Amino acid sequence: MSRRQFAAPTRGGSEPPDDTGCTVLHVDMDAFYASASLISRPELRGRPVIIGGAGGRSVVLSATYEARAFGVASAMPMARARRLCPQAVVIEPDHRRYAAISEAVMATFATITDSVEPLSLDEAFLDVSGAVRRLGPPTQIAEQLRDTIADEQGITCSVGVASTKFVAKLASTLAKPDGLIVVPREEVVSFLHQLPVGAIWGVGDKTEEHLHRLGLRTVADLAHTPLETLQRALGDVAGRSLHDLAWGRDPRSVVPERREKSIGADETFAHDIDDPVRIHRELLRLADRTAARARSAGMTGRTVSIKVRFSDFTTITRAKTLRHHTDVSRDIFATARELYDRLGLQRARIRLVGVRLEGLVPSAVAPIQATLDEPEHGWREADRAVDRASARFGAGSVRPASLMPDRPSGSQRERRDLS
């Protein structure tokens, strides 16, 4: 979803929304790192506060909504954030506190349902279909969660209640901060069609500009464009995905995942770098290695995450859950690069990058699904040919063309991590 904020669509009628069948909840903490940091600094509530290192080369980890109103955003260089909001108070991150609060929030989710799919430290999908008889309708469960988290953790959250994951996540975003939006099943299409195309999950700045050039400015415009036209303009997979989402179609279910069940690799550089070309190249190498390790272990994953550590040791992570499980190097790299590019970093000095494949299941349990634009002999077959060559001639004997030259001298060490 684009970083831009969108207003919630107006809803006709004065009756409370019917939440029958709306058993998917997306719960997202509001400005999590900032809110958690202010627990011990209550005098700063209501003021612009930035979380991050105080050094000139530091980056923003998070900011309160008062600071965001001045244009401050996560991953922004601290120097720029201070120029945008010179009156802001800067607080050093407290990662132990964040982890403890996240663990407590996830434990609260577990008291509601076993079907919890964490997306990061501060957000998760919940399927509450099995809890309705015990705890009441979905809206009541959502309100209970919000009250419990506020009372026990001292932070607020926003909740989207819907019949699909896509609409629930969109609703929670529109409800921020400290809000709740229910989207009845019968109102999904009217809800979506009032929104600009940039609100659709997966439409970033570049895709939004492309859609605008096509004359598509609202989700309704997108929905009423012939599928074939969208596929010619955006590609088979992206065109079909956006067309389905514009009509509220999202067949994905909430899949409980243990986030520690993952395969990945990190790279720490000898010298901080700010060249996006080099970072893209490193992401490719790490994605290639992560995919090979997944295939070797006979596992596939559905969530790709990246880790970026800056020169001041501030660390951020971003993740994206795919529609299908994968162990394909190309898929993992494309997602990792998308996540990195969405950060919008402007020559920030980077110390470490990492790529991780999460939500692992055995390959036999979740067979890989081919994409519409995949050639007859697809990328999985190519990856397996590389695996066979590596087994015979040694690791690294076959690699992507862009990795054939010597690795940059800035690369110091790479850590294998399989948990």
Side-chain angles (χ1 to χ4, degrees):
M1 183 177 296
S2 170
R3 289 185 176 191
R4 292 174 299 283
Q5 296 296 310
F6 302 98
T10 57
R11 180 175 176 270
S14 58
E15 293 295 319
D18 180 7
D19 62 1
T20 304
C22 296
T23 55
V24 177
L25 274 57
H26 181 257
V27 187
D28 194 0
M29 305 304 113
D30 298 318
F32 174 62
Y33 300 109
S35 298
S37 296
L38 294 187
I39 292 174
S40 58
R41 301 287 301 275
E43 74 278 7
L44 295 178
R45 287 177 179 158
R47 296 177 57 186
V49 176
I50 299 173
I51 310 303
R57 293 170 60 188
S58 303
V59 295
V60 175
L61 176 62
S62 182
T64 60
Y65 288 98
E66 291 80 8
R68 295 182 188 190
F70 289 86
V72 178
S74 62
M76 175 181 289
M78 184 63 73
R80 184 183 175 208
R82 294 303 298 268
R83 287 196 300 271
L84 291 171
C85 188
Q87 68 271 43
V89 177
V90 178
I91 298 179
E92 292 280 345
D94 184 349
H95 294 286
R96 288 186 178 179
R97 169 176 290 182
Y98 306 149
I101 293 176
S102 173
E103 183 177 353
V105 168
M106 296 299 166
T108 298
F109 294 161
T111 66
I112 301 296
T113 175
D114 293 332
S115 296
V116 178
E117 182 179 340
L119 299 181
S120 63
L121 282 178
D122 60 337
E123 63 174 318
F125 285 112
L126 284 70
D127 182 344
V128 299
S129 56
V132 170
R133 290 185 61 184
R134 176 169 55 95
L135 299 174
T139 303
Q140 183 173 319
I141 294 174
E143 292 286 14
Q144 177 183 333
L145 278 170
R146 296 179 66 230
D147 290 343
T148 300
I149 291 170
D151 291 344
E152 295 182 356
Q153 306 306 324
I155 60 175
T156 63
C157 65
S158 297
V159 184
V161 180
S163 56
T164 66
K165 292 170 73 173
F166 162 59
V167 178
K169 183 171 175 63
L170 180 56
S172 71
T173 301
L174 295 170
K176 285 184 170 294
D178 193 17
L180 166 66
I181 289 181
V182 179
V183 184
R185 283 196 294 188
E186 293 75 14
E187 299 178 22
V188 165
V189 172
S190 61
F191 173 85
L192 292 174
H193 285 193
Q194 297 179 64
L195 292 167
V197 292
I200 289 283
W201 197 355
V203 175
D205 293 341
K206 291 183 179 179
T207 303
E208 183 180 34
E209 291 174 5
H210 188 36
L211 292 172
H212 284 178
R213 287 195 297 270
L214 296 173
L216 307 178
R217 296 191 169 274
T218 68
V219 177
D221 295 336
L222 189 66
H224 291 100
T225 300
L227 174 60
E228 296 77 10
T229 301
L230 291 177
Q231 289 180 317
R232 283 197 301 270
L234 304 170
D236 288 346
V237 176
R240 181 175 292 278
S241 175
L242 289 183
H243 192 261
D244 284 344
L245 292 178
W247 286 105
R249 294 192 287 263
D250 180 12
R252 298 170 305 149
S253 59
V254 175
V255 180
E257 294 179 350
R258 295 179 58 191
R259 294 189 61 80
E260 70 274 18
K261 190 176 183 182
S262 62
I263 291 174
D266 299 337
E267 182 74 20
T268 300
F269 303 105
H271 305 286
D272 300 339
I273 64 174
D274 61 5
D275 181 0
V277 174
R278 287 186 59 189
I279 294 170
H280 285 161
R281 189 166 180 240
E282 193 59 40
L283 290 174
L284 173 60
R285 191 178 73 83
L286 295 174
D288 194 52
R289 186 158 298 191
T290 296
R293 289 172 180 168
R295 294 191 298 270
S296 177
M299 306 294 282
T300 64
R302 204 161 66 90
T303 298
V304 177
S305 69
I306 64 168
K307 176 166 63 174
V308 179
R309 180 168 295 152
F310 298 95
S311 58
D312 65 346
F313 289 88
T314 295
T315 303
I316 61 175
T317 60
R318 295 291 186 270
K320 179 178 180 179
T321 300
L322 309 177
R323 285 183 171 271
H324 305 289
H325 285 76
T326 188
D327 60 3
V328 178
S329 301
R330 180 174 180 263
D331 295 344
I332 296 171
F333 169 64
T335 306
R337 176 170 176 164
E338 175 190 349
L339 290 168
Y340 177 80
D341 289 346
R342 282 187 183 180
L343 293 174
L345 301 178
Q346 298 178 350
R347 310 300 291 188
R349 304 290 293 178
I350 293 176
R351 176 180 177 84
L352 171 148
V353 292
V355 175
R356 183 164 297 277
L357 185 64
E358 303 173 344
L360 302 180
V361 298
S363 301
V365 174
I368 303 298
Q369 201 160 317
T371 60
L372 295 176
D373 61 348
E374 187 170 295
E376 179 181 355
H377 298 289
W379 297 106
R380 287 195 89 221
E381 287 76 9
D383 280 346
R384 275 152 180 71
V386 172
D387 293 342
R388 291 191 294 271
S390 298
R392 182 173 180 182
F393 300 109
S397 56
V398 179
R399 66 185 70 181
S402 61
L403 297 182
M404 288 306 293
D406 293 336
R407 287 170 51 189
S409 60
S411 182
Q412 182 180 24
R413 64 180 182 275
E414 183 266 341
R415 186 180 76 234
R416 177 173 179 168
D417 188 359
L418 170 59
S419 55

